C-alpha cells in the first residue's frame, strides 16, 4: 500500500473540516483543532500542526466555508451554494 501524497492528505483534511461544519455548524477553531490535531503526522511539532490547520482553513475560507465570528472567536459555517 503506497503512502498518500501531501495533496491527497490535505484534500482529506479539508473534507473532514467541511463535513464537521456541515454537521455541527457553527464550529469554532477549537472544534476543528480537536478533529484534526491527532490526525496530523506525529513528526510535526505543535506549531507546525497549528500552521497546517490554519493553511487548510485559509484554503477553504471564502470558497466552501466562511467565518461569521471574529478572529479570536471564530464561528465557521458552510457557504450558501451559488445560484446558477
Amino acid at each position: 500500500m503506497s503512502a498518500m501524497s501531501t495533496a491527497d492528505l490535505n484534500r482529506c483534511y479539508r473534507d473532514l473540516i467541511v463535513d464537521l461544519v456541515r454537521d455541527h455548524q457553527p464550529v469554532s477553531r477549537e472544534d476543528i483543532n480537536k478533529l484534526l490535531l491527532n490526525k496530523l503526522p506525529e513528526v510535526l511539532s505543535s506549531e507546525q500542526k497549528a500552521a497546517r490547520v490554519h493553511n487548510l482553513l485559509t484554503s477553504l475560507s471564502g470558497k466552501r466555508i466562511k467565518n461569521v465570528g471574529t478572529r479570536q472567536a471564530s464561528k465557521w459555517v458552510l457557504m450558501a451554494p451559488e445560484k446558477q
Side-chain angles (χ1 to χ4, degrees), residues 13 16-20 30-40:
Y13 297 142
L16 286 171
I17 293 170
V18 171
D19 289 345
L20 176 71
E30 183 180 346
D31 295 329
I32 293 168
N33 285 346
K34 285 179 187 174
L35 172 71
L36 288 183
L37 290 181
N38 66 342
K39 291 176 176 47
L40 293 170

Side-chain angles (χ1 to χ4, degrees), residues 13-73:
Y13 297 142
R14 284 192 298 269
D15 289 345
L16 286 171
I17 293 170
V18 171
D19 289 345
L20 176 71
V21 172
R22 179 184 304 113
D23 294 343
H24 302 286
Q25 64 184 328
V27 299
S28 67
R29 171 65 183 263
E30 183 180 346
D31 295 329
I32 293 168
N33 285 346
K34 285 179 187 174
L35 172 71
L36 288 183
L37 290 181
N38 66 342
K39 291 176 176 47
L40 293 170
E42 290 182 20
V43 297
L44 298 178
S45 69
S46 295
E47 293 81 16
Q48 290 171 316
K49 288 181 179 186
R52 177 75 65 92
V53 173
H54 171 81
N55 292 339
L56 291 165
L57 287 171
T58 299
S59 71
L60 289 168
S61 183
K63 297 174 186 79
R64 296 175 69 188
I65 62 174
K66 66 180 177 179
N67 181 8
V68 296
T70 64
R71 287 181 64 88
Q72 278 73 31

